[in-house]
């Protein structure tokens, strides 16, 4: 994926065709013949599409014919509607009391997490919801029994539960029985609900990892990938099946050299003087820091790609600047571009590698690329 040089201190470049290809890879894995009894795909574009730009990504997915998008909040749903997206929009992380009107007016589809909420949504004249069952994640989702759910629904006239969903806690972990247990509980409750006359037409459970590493009973009428659309699948533990699709990162993150300087042996670099040159060293100061999303935890640990080779971060990452050792690339000059995520020649860095060094997860790296980092799109 070649990137175009840009006049921006620090920027990301997102490939629309990569997003589209990743989406198609997931869709082809779950629905190879595109028949109605194969799962559909909900494109998860929450958190500004994991830093990739929710409106831009949603437009790419819309062009690919996607019917469902998912966001975390009503605000995120309104942003998509305001930009003209007409797909169904699932709001997954809860609706606040003051947001009911926006849900109705913007035709958003909320996920309901409690029986009380069923009543409140009915009172707010919201007609369709999806109901989340807590099957062991112990985060959002109701723990109520099927008969309690059926009773609550009978007392919520005008409200239809269009979808039933749950969420995996440990989808990549094939050394644990948590996922099969979650699947068993989900199907048990869905069956009990059906016996009580509650039969939502849609059911969904799997996000990226449970699509990549399939388990019996996890792919239902829809799947909900996010990470995969951006080009990532988390590594699995234990005896996982091989991944059902292949995706590649859609985002490259670049910055520029602000200054180059030579320091003598013994000089200390940055706040706290935490790095000391053992030999004469050439430094480059980069126009990106933790305010741009470079993890502070990469201080004295991380690497970037400069002049086509890996260059170590020296000293602490500061708010707007990061210092690297470019002794091995003496040709580099102020104004030259440096890669934080992406590739130069055959050297590459992805969010999983960065995350590992920083002691976090790739999701966290992508979502932390801050608003001040300019976004550019290529086809
Ligand atoms: C974020 C999220 C997803 C998407 O997860 P990925 O691992 O990015 O595919 C799906 N469902 C729910 C409820 C989520 O919060």
């Amino acid at each position: 994926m070649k990137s175009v040089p840009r006049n921006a201190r620090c920027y990301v470049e997102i490939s629309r065709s990569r997003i589209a290809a990743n989406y198609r890879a997931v869709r082809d894995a779950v629905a190879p013949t595109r028949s109605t009894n194969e799962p559909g795909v909900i494109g998860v574009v929450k958190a500004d599409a994991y830093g990739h730009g929710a409106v831009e990504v949603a437009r790419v997915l819309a062009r690919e014919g996607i019917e469902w998008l998912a966001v975390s909040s009503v605000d995120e749903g309104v942003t998509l509607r305001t930009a003209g997206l007409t797909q169904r929009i699932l709001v997954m992380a809860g609706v606040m009391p003051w947001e009911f009107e926006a849900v109705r007016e913007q035709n958003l589809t909320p996920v309901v997490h409690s029986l009380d909420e069923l009543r409140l949504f009915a009172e707010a004249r919201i007609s369709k919801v999806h109901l989340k069952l807590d099957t062991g994640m112990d985060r959002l989702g109701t723990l109520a029994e099927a008969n309690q759910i059926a009773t609550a629904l009978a007392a919520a006239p005008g409200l239809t539960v269009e979808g039933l969903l749950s969420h995996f806690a440990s989808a990549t972990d094939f050394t644990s029985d948590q996922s099969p247990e979650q699947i068993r509980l989900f199907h048990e409750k869905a069956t009990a609900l059906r016996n009580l006359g509650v039969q939502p037409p849609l059911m969904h459970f799997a996000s990226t990892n449970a699509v990549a590493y399939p388990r019996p009973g996890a792919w239902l009428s829809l799947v909900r990938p996010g990470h995969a659309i951006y080009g990532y699948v988390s590594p699995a533990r234990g005896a996982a099946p091989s991944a059902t699709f292949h995706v590649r990162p859609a985002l490259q993150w670049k910055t520029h050299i602000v200054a180059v300087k030579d320091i003598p042996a013994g000089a200390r670099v940055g706040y706290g003087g935490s790095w000391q040159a053992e030999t004469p060293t050439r430094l480059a100061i980069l126009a990106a820091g933790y305010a741009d999303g470079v993890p502070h935890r990469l201080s004295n640990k991380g690497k970037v790609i400069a002049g086509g080779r890996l260059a170590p971060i020296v000293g602490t990452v500061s708010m707007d600047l990061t210092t690297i050792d470019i002794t091995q690339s003496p040709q580099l000059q102020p104004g030259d571009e440096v890669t934080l995520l992406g590739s130069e020649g055959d050297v590459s860095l992805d969010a999983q590698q960065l995350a590992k060094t920083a002691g976090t997860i790739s999701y966290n790296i992508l979502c932390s690329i801050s608003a001040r980092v300019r976004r550019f799109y290529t086809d």
Side-chain angles (χ1 to χ4, degrees), residues 44 46 50 92 132 167 207-208 224-227 363:
V44 177
K46 66 189 179 190
Y50 300 33
M92 301 190 295
K132 189 171 198 175
H167 192 54
S207 49
T208 292
R224 300 189 307 266
H227 214 208
Y363 295 72

Side-chain angles (χ1 to χ4, degrees), residues 3-4 6 8-15 48 50-53 250-255 292 340-341 365-366 368-378:
S3 79
V4 189
R6 307 281 186 178
R9 275 176 78 89
C10 183
Y11 68 91
V12 294
E13 186 175 280
I14 295 134
S15 160
D48 204 26
Y50 300 33
H52 294 63
L251 174 150
Q252 303 207 64
W253 186 10
K254 307 269 182 176
T255 185
D292 301 281
L340 301 170
L341 279 181
I365 298 288
L366 296 173
S368 300
I369 301 173
S370 76
R372 102 174 162 189
V373 176
R374 299 256 308 267
R375 263 69 175 172
F376 293 99
Y377 294 86
T378 57

Side-chain angles (χ1 to χ4, degrees), residues 9 258 285-290 292 316-323:
R9 275 176 78 89
V258 181
I285 323 300
L286 308 181
Y290 60 77
D292 301 281
T316 52
V317 173
S318 47
M319 188 183 291
D320 311 297
L321 300 165
T322 298
T323 302

Side-chain angles (χ1 to χ4, degrees), residues 273-360:
S274 63
W275 191 84
Q276 189 166 24
E278 281 173 16
T279 53
T281 301
R282 178 163 291 187
L283 301 178
I285 323 300
L286 308 181
Y290 60 77
D292 301 281
V294 178
H296 188 265
R297 293 275 197 94
L298 292 182
S299 301
N300 288 313
K301 280 203 272 185
K303 289 186 166 54
V304 305
I305 310 171
R309 60 165 77 210
L310 291 174
I313 292 174
V314 294
T316 52
V317 173
S318 47
M319 188 183 291
D320 311 297
L321 300 165
T322 298
T323 302
I324 60 171
D325 178 350
I326 57 161
T327 309
Q328 305 301 318
S329 303
Q331 78 284 7
L332 289 170
Q333 296 294 323
D336 285 351
E337 206 171 78
V338 163
T339 301
L340 301 170
L341 279 181
S343 55
E344 291 184 21
D346 49 17
V347 186
S348 68
L349 274 177
D350 69 22
Q352 262 152 1
Q353 291 165 293
L354 233 67
K356 200 164 179 197
T357 312
T360 181

Side-chain angles (χ1 to χ4, degrees), residues 42 44 46 50 70-72 90 92-93 111 132 139 165-168 204-211 223-230 232 234 363:
I42 304 179
V44 177
K46 66 189 179 190
Y50 300 33
V71 292
S72 284
L90 191 69
M92 301 190 295
V111 173
K132 189 171 198 175
R139 195 178 59 181
L165 68 145
S166 195
H167 192 54
F168 286 109
H204 44 107
F205 208 148
S207 49
T208 292
N209 292 331
V211 177
V223 295
R224 300 189 307 266
H227 214 208
I229 291 173
Y230 310 107
Y232 290 92
S234 305
Y363 295 72

